[in-house]
Amino acid sequence: MIKLKTIQGEGKGSVFNCNGKVVEIGRATSNRIVLNDPMISWRHGAIELNRGRYMYKDLASRNGTTLYRNKKRLVMKGSVRARTIGKNDELLLGATVLKVLEISFPLKTKNAGGKGASR
């Protein structure tokens, strides 16, 4: 589960609790997180759970995405389209900033035979 909060832009204060392996973000109503910002593409980006970590992928948006981590600016545009994200990271999409408030991972459970984790 990943929890995001809009800290800048239209919808400031909105909180999104997202479960699942993929969470799409953009202006289109088909996205899990819909942001009404004209600087954001219809399908701007996606958060994916991959190999035990969350990744943000810019989906070839027109304006790109900027990740702020520990006050360091990491741009996602051109050849760099994906980065891992963690608690307190901020994503700038258009004029909207989403802050990662919480991250939790699905619990691994043992199968009936007691060997290994389920998939």
Side-chain angles (χ1 to χ4, degrees):
M1 194 267 309
I2 188 162
K3 184 176 185 178
L4 305 167
K5 181 177 183 178
T6 307
I7 61 169
Q8 177 180 306
E10 189 171 327
K12 182 177 178 181
S14 298
V15 175
F16 306 96
N17 293 300
C18 303
N19 292 307
K21 289 195 172 208
V22 178
V23 177
E24 291 187 339
I25 302 169
R27 287 189 336 206
T29 57
S30 60
N31 290 303
R32 183 86 177 271
I33 296 177
V34 178
L35 301 172
N36 294 314
D37 178 338
M39 299 294 292
I40 294 176
S41 298
W42 293 103
R43 289 186 65 242
H44 197 96
I47 297 171
E48 297 181 8
L49 179 58
N50 187 357
R51 296 183 183 171
R53 52 188 184 163
Y54 281 98
M55 301 281 298
Y56 177 86
K57 291 185 179 181
D58 185 273
L59 300 176
S61 67
R62 184 183 327 180
N63 295 314
T65 303
T66 302
L67 170 66
Y68 289 93
R69 177 179 293 142
N70 300 323
K71 302 192 189 289
K72 187 175 180 183
R73 184 175 183 254
L74 305 167
V75 177
M76 287 180 262
K77 194 169 185 173
S79 62
V80 178
R81 293 281 180 184
R83 297 209 184 257
T84 58
I85 57 172
K87 186 175 179 181
N88 295 320
D89 284 353
E90 296 178 2
L91 295 163
L92 172 63
L93 301 86
T96 302
V97 177
L98 296 174
K99 182 172 185 169
V100 179
L101 297 179
E102 292 178 30
I103 287 184
S104 60
F105 299 95
L107 295 174
K108 292 182 179 180
T109 57
K110 293 187 177 191
N111 62 19
K115 296 179 184 176
S118 66
R119 295 182 185 207

